[in-house]
Amino acid sequence: MRKVAAASFMGTVIEFYDFGIYATAAALVFADTFFPALGEHAGTVVSYATLGVAFVARPLGSILFGHFGDRLGRKRTLIATMSIMGAATVLIGLLPTAAAIGIVAPVTLVVLRIAQGLAAGGEWAGAALFTSEHSPQARRGFWAMFTNLGGAFANILALGTFLITGLYMSDETFAAWGWRLPFVLSILLVVVGLFIRLRIEETPAFAAAAKHRRGSDGLPFKDAVVHQWKEILLGAGSLVMAFSLGYIGIAFLTNYGTATLGLPRPQVLGAGMFGNLLNCLAIIAGGMLTDRFGRRRVLLIANIVGIPWALALFPLLDTGALGAFWLGMSVTFLIAGVGFGVAGSFLSELFHTRYRYTAAGLSYSLAGVLGGAVPPLVAATVISSYGGFVFGVLLAAYCLVGLICTLALRETRHRELTEPALPVGEAA
């Protein structure tokens, strides 16, 4: 299990490092680099819109790669998603600016971002299933959290790369070409990740299901929607809190701290790194606690705690104090981390093996669209028009949705992953 968890962790680190550096670059430089004609405010909004494009593409990636993951296996599909993500990321780093090639630059940026979204949509479910389908039932929560732990660690790497790059060059040099280095250097991580994934074996649950597959079996996406559409939607709803708080932290607060609060960029990036370190610890704690107290109970508590914190977050940040910004980042990532720590085991256990890759990936990606794409996209407009507290109400509403959807689902921690999944409403 240590080898399996390490492979899943490292693969997700590489995949979501590529995904995460885009969020940081969108917050810091993309408005001026690719959308200068729109002005600072509109350019920032459109930069976040390109961030959101990938989240819209993620469900499509979950369906596309989920089909192959459920038919051909987890391993082959994970190698494909990593290759696509790596190629798209390096090309973004090499992409000429709008000043050089005009409108072709932002259009190409959007296309490459869509490719990142498709790959990310296929990546998460495969990595999560790789650990959960290998792990013993009694410790599945612990082992399955390594997938999201890799994503959180990737955010630390992304922020750290930008921090180090920015410390050793002027703001002008960083905006001119320094931001490209994290994108181009990601090729080294991709090579390591592919080497690791080529050396791991297929999961026992998939291998067993493949032996009993009939030629008349339907499409994984169709079967998932027909048989467990409620679980797909409720599973997505249960995780929107983690996405909304997590991506406000990684994508929006970086820009808010520098552009709106006027805090030094190194301090803002440092706060993001520290917050993501706490995010890692919370993911570990969340996964371990689910093995003792259940997936549902831990997720309910995280959503409940998130409601008052969402209301308090922006009044705290708007004091303008550097310490308040660090505190805001830290608690936001702590609460989100607990939710992400539950996700790997909880979604894996909700669905039947025959279409688990597709269904779990689709559910997680829908949560990403609703929670990860929308709040950063509307944050600047809502805050500038109505104030930070009103935007906090929106975040609190996400936590309330997560609470209601989690209440509608049953506990899953005692399920064996070779057993059929039970529809909503039937007794376990």
Side-chain angles (χ1 to χ4, degrees), residues 16 19 32-33 57 148 180 196 231-232 273 327-328 330:
F16 285 93
F19 199 73
D32 294 329
T33 303
N148 281 90
R180 298 179 181 276
I196 292 173
E231 285 88 342
I232 292 173
M273 290 179 66
L327 178 62
S330 299

Side-chain angles (χ1 to χ4, degrees), residues 62 65-67 69-71 74 124-126 128-130 132-134 140 203-206 209 213 220-221 223-224 228 232 344-364 415-421:
S62 298
F65 291 108
H67 175 84
D70 284 322
R71 287 297 181 90
R74 311 339 186 182
W124 182 86
L129 297 190
F130 214 86
S132 61
E133 290 183 346
H134 270 106
R140 187 179 297 131
T203 71
F206 175 81
R213 181 178 292 120
F221 173 68
D223 287 346
Q228 291 194 269
I232 292 173
S345 56
F346 194 40
L347 292 186
S348 296
E349 292 163 349
L350 278 177
F351 304 107
H352 193 284
T353 305
R354 189 173 73 250
Y355 47 76
R356 183 175 293 137
Y357 198 129
T358 301
L362 182 58
S363 186
Y364 192 79
R415 275 203 64 222
E416 292 294 341
L417 293 186
T418 54
E419 296 174 353

Side-chain angles (χ1 to χ4, degrees), residues 19 22 47 58 70 83 91 114 121 130 137-138 168 184 201 206 208 212 228 255 283 310 338 422:
F19 199 73
Y22 189 100
S47 292
R58 281 177 74 158
D70 284 322
S83 301
L91 289 173
I114 290 172
F130 214 86
Q137 179 269 326
Y168 287 94
V184 176
E201 300 297 328
F206 175 81
H212 297 91
Q228 291 194 269
N255 178 269
I283 288 172
V338 174
L422 295 171

Side-chain angles (χ1 to χ4, degrees), residues 213-235:
R213 181 178 292 120
R214 302 184 303 271
S216 59
D217 284 348
L219 295 174
F221 173 68
K222 178 182 177 182
D223 287 346
V225 172
V226 168
H227 296 295
Q228 291 194 269
W229 64 270
K230 290 182 181 178
E231 285 88 342
I232 292 173
L233 295 179
L234 291 173

